[in-house]
Structures are given as structure tokens and as C-alpha cells.
Amino acid sequence: MSGVTEWEPEAENWVRWARQPGHDAYWYYRDAFFDLIPPAGERTIELGCGEGRVARDLFERGHRVVGVEPAPTLVRHARDADASGSYVVADGAAVPCTKGAFDLVVAYNSLQVVADMQGTVKEAARLLRPGGHFCATVSHPAMDLGRFVQGKSEMSFTIRPAYFERRRVDDTLEMNGLEVTCRGWTYTFEDYFVAFERAGLVVETMREPRPSTTSGTFERWQTVPLFLMVRALKPR
Ligand SMILES: C[S@@+](CC[C@H](N)C(=O)[O-])C[C@H]1O[C@@H](n2cnc3c(N)ncnc32)[C@H](O)[C@@H]1O
């Protein structure tokens, strides 16, 4: 379970990074994600919940949420911030919950991070009742393929050629005095969509949202998609 070893040492940095309002991309993309997800049913589960901000936002929108996260320090922070919530230390590919117990499974910015992406999608399908939905946000494969380069007068986006090559992501981000190291993998569109297909999930729709800000650090993501958002159905 490499997710535990990799994210546990970054836990305190991640909490500071994730909880600073307006600091990271979450604040400019979450509305697009919440527009994609179905109305609250009886039970929702989030795989890779971190310190719990998505679970808390879902709760505010009427969801009863279980948060699943392998890093114990992040689960402790999630519980401290939400005493009435339910948080479990577990791998997203092996969740100690009953088959078919959830109307909605959410994976926000975690499928490209988990040790076993296909296994986690399969686990999402197992946890869903027939007719339930799986909603995921991942790093957009186009974003993984390139980087912004500041030219003399304008910014350009430079693409590397090996789209099909699966690469390790190990990026230390620094912004406004905060720092965090994010680790995971790059995937192609096909990797994700085949994982959904093999898990028996039918993709209903997808989004390539632009940030809800047209200034500051995230303005450049008006031109290239930072995230891919998908809603899939477990057929009855
Ligand atoms: C980029 S953070 C996103 C956290 C949260 N969803 C949010 O948006 O604030 C990715 C999370 O995935 C978790 N993770 C890593 N490996 C995992 C695994 N095998 N199963 C479930 N989650 C995992 C990390 O510990 C981390 O909390």
C-alpha cells in the first residue's frame, strides 16, 4: 500500500495546503464537480478523502458521507474537523464496507494517486448499489503531458511526445509560503475509461471545467484543462 507511505509524511503539509481558503485549485473547481454529482441519496463514500474538505462540502449539500483515507494523520485531522462524520483508515482498493451500501462514490483528485487505480475503480463499483453513481475528478491527461513555459511576451504550453508512457509524478509545489509534495502517476484517457468499463460502470458524462477565476495563479488554466471530471452509472 504505497499510498500510506507516500502521503503520510506529507500529511501536515497537505492539511495546511488544503485548508487555506482560495489557495489551491480546489476552490476554483469544486462547484463544477458538485454540479456534476447527483442529489444526495442515503449514503455517500469518498475514496482518498485527505483531511476531509470534500466530505465536509458534501455534508453541507445534504450527503451522509464516509471518508476513506490510508494516511492515519489525515484521518485524525478529518475527524477533528468533523466530529459527527465517519472516517476510515483504509486503502481505496480494499474498503471495509458492505457491497452495494452506497448511492454515490466520490474520488476527488485521488485516482491518479492511489497505488492501484483499476482496483480502486473496481472497488467503487462494488460499493455502489445498482443505479448508483461514481463521480471522479482526476488530473487531466493533457495537463500531465505538458507544462507552461513563460516566453518573452507570452506563456506557452509545451507538450512532451510520449502520451502513452506512464510516468511517475513526484512534484513539490510551492505557493504563497506553503509547500507540499504530491505523488502519483500519469494516465491516458483510455486508462481511465477502460478501468470504468472493466468495473461494469457506464460513463454518463464528463467535464473539462475552466477555473472559476480569471485572474491570479489559476488564470492560465483557462486555456488548458487542469482536471477531468467524470460521472458513471452502475447499471441496474
Ligand atoms: C490530492 S489528495 C486529495 C484529498 C481530497 N480528496 C481533497 O481533494 O482534498 C490525494 C489523497 O489520496 C490519498 N491516497 C493515497 N493513496 C491512496 C489509496 N491507496 N487509497 C485511497 N486514498 C489514497 C492520499 O493520502 C491523499 O489524501
Side-chain angles (χ1 to χ4, degrees):
M1 217 163 57
S2 62
V4 177
T5 54
E6 290 185 354
W7 281 78
E8 177 60 23
E10 278 304 305
E12 298 296 347
N13 281 345
W14 177 254
V15 172
R16 281 188 287 275
W17 185 273
R19 287 192 178 169
Q20 181 70 34
H23 177 73
D24 80 352
Y26 178 69
W27 311 98
Y28 309 105
Y29 287 89
R30 63 176 173 172
D31 288 348
F33 185 65
F34 293 130
D35 282 350
L36 188 70
I37 69 174
E42 284 182 23
R43 291 185 84 198
T44 294
I45 188 165
E46 188 196 358
L47 307 181
C49 69
E51 55 66 57
R53 62 183 170 175
V54 182
R56 293 191 296 276
D57 279 352
L58 285 164
F59 178 77
E60 272 187 19
R61 288 160 177 78
H63 295 255
R64 279 182 60 210
V65 190
V66 175
V68 176
E69 166 60 48
T73 302
L74 290 174
V75 169
R76 177 171 53 76
H77 280 288
R79 286 181 181 141
D80 287 350
D82 177 17
S84 61
S86 176
Y87 296 93
V88 182
V89 178
D91 191 303
V95 178
C97 292
T98 314
K99 176 183 175 186
F102 296 91
D103 308 283
L104 174 67
V105 179
V106 168
Y108 192 96
N109 211 7
S110 59
L111 279 186
Q112 76 276 17
V113 159
V114 298
D116 178 2
M117 188 274 283
Q118 285 201 2
T120 304
V121 174
K122 203 172 153 201
E123 185 67 340
R126 186 190 70 81
L127 292 164
L128 282 174
R129 66 164 172 79
H133 287 90
F134 179 38
C135 293
T137 292
V138 294
S139 293
H140 197 288
M143 186 280 287
D144 277 340
L145 200 54
R147 62 191 175 93
F148 281 103
V149 178
Q150 181 64 59
K152 274 190 185 146
S153 57
E154 61 178 25
M155 191 87 91
S156 61
F157 191 75
T158 310
I159 303 274
R160 67 178 162 87
Y163 173 68
F164 295 109
E165 184 190 330
R166 192 169 163 216
R167 290 198 177 188
R168 193 79 175 98
V169 174
D170 190 346
D171 290 339
T172 298
L173 311 173
E174 284 181 61
M175 202 165 63
N176 300 327
L178 297 179
E179 186 179 296
V180 71
T181 298
C182 294
R183 298 191 176 91
W185 287 269
T186 64
Y187 290 102
T188 64
F189 279 99
E190 185 175 284
D191 292 332
Y192 287 120
F193 285 84
V194 167
F196 280 62
E197 177 194 334
R198 288 190 180 151
L201 296 169
V202 179
V203 174
E204 286 185 335
T205 190
M206 57 83 88
R207 298 282 187 280
E208 296 173 307
R210 297 171 194 203
S212 61
T213 176
T214 50
S215 63
T217 315
F218 294 96
E219 182 190 359
R220 58 192 177 160
W221 298 108
Q222 293 287 343
T223 59
V224 176
L226 179 56
F227 293 114
L228 170 67
M229 300 182 177
V230 180
R231 184 180 70 224
L233 170 75
K234 177 170 174 170
R236 290 178 195 277

